[in-house]
Amino acid sequence: TRTEALRHPLFWFMVPSLMGPSAFGTAFFFHQVHYSEIKGWEHLQFVSFLPLYTAGGVLAMLVSGWALDKFGTPRLIPFYQLPLSLAFILFAQTSDVSLLLIGFLFFAVTAGANATLPNAFWAEFYGTENLGALKALAAGLMVLGSAIGPGITGILIDLGVPLDRQYLWVSGFFVLCSILVYIGISRSKSA
C-alpha cells in the first residue's frame, strides 16, 4: 500500500531521483532565455535543437523499454540519470552551441528512460496490487519537483549564483541520486 511504501526505506532512497529530473529539467527549460543570453547565443539556436531532443527522447524510450525487458529494473535504474549529469556538465561548461546539442542528446537519454524505468520500478519492487496509488504518489513528487526547481534556480540567480555554476551542482545532484538508488536497491535485495 501507499502507507507501507512510505515506511519502506527504498522509497526514500528513490525520492530525490523522482523529483530531480522534473525539478531541474523544468528549471533548464524555464530559464532558457537567460541561459542563451549568458552563453552569448541567439535564443533561436537553443530552440532549434528541441526537435532533435524530442526525437532522441522517443528513441531512448524505445531502447530503455527493450533494455528493461532484457536486463531488469534493478540493474538499470541506478544509472539512468547519469546521462543527465553529463548533460548538465556540458550545459555548464560549453560556450560552443554544437556541444549544446550533445547535452540535449544526453538529456534525451534520461528523459526517455524516465518514461519507462520508474513505472517498472514500482511494479517490480512494490507489486501491482496498489500500483495506481504508488504511481500517483510518484507523480505528485514529480509535480512538486517541477514547481520547486525553477524557484530554487531563480532565487540563486537573484542572489548572484551564475546559472552555469548551478548546473555543475545539478550534475553532482544526479550523481548523488544514482548512488542513493544503488544503495537503496542493494539494501532492498539483501533484506
Side-chain angles (χ1 to χ4, degrees):
T1 67
R2 190 179 342 204
T3 303
E4 290 170 328
L6 287 169
R7 292 184 187 139
H8 193 258
L10 178 57
F11 174 83
W12 295 103
F13 278 97
M14 282 295 295
V15 167
S17 288
L18 292 171
M19 295 178 74
S22 61
F24 297 112
T26 302
F28 177 72
F29 289 112
F30 189 85
H31 295 297
Q32 63 184 275
V33 172
H34 175 67
Y35 176 69
S36 297
E37 286 174 1
I38 63 172
K39 292 296 184 177
W41 304 325
E42 293 293 322
H43 185 234
L44 185 59
Q45 291 176 295
F46 180 96
V47 297
S48 70
F49 292 133
L50 293 179
L52 296 171
Y53 164 75
T54 302
V58 170
L59 179 62
M61 188 184 328
L62 297 170
V63 170
S64 68
W66 167 84
L68 181 61
D69 290 337
K70 183 154 181 72
F71 302 109
T73 310
R75 291 166 87 189
L76 295 177
I77 203 160
F79 305 106
Y80 86 102
Q81 291 185 359
L82 293 178
L84 191 52
S85 177
L86 292 173
F88 274 96
I89 289 173
L90 284 172
F91 296 154
Q93 297 295 322
T94 189
S95 55
D96 181 352
V97 76
S98 63
L99 290 177
L100 173 65
L101 172 60
I102 295 170
F104 266 124
L105 294 176
F106 279 127
F107 193 156
V109 170
T110 297
N114 198 46
T116 58
L117 290 175
N119 293 325
F121 167 83
W122 296 115
E124 191 164 338
F125 283 88
Y126 292 98
T128 57
E129 187 174 335
N130 298 295
L131 188 57
L134 293 173
K135 287 175 65 176
L137 177 61
L141 288 169
M142 289 186 277
V143 170
L144 178 62
S146 70
I148 291 172
I152 291 172
T153 53
I155 288 169
L156 289 173
I157 289 169
D158 289 344
L159 292 174
V161 179
L163 198 52
D164 18 15
R165 184 179 317 152
Q166 290 184 49
Y167 286 169
L168 289 175
W169 298 344
V170 169
S171 174
F173 173 80
F174 287 118
V175 171
L176 178 63
C177 287
S178 295
I179 292 168
L180 288 173
V181 171
Y182 181 82
I183 291 169
I185 288 177
S186 297
R187 288 181 59 191
S188 182
K189 280 199 232 176
S190 65

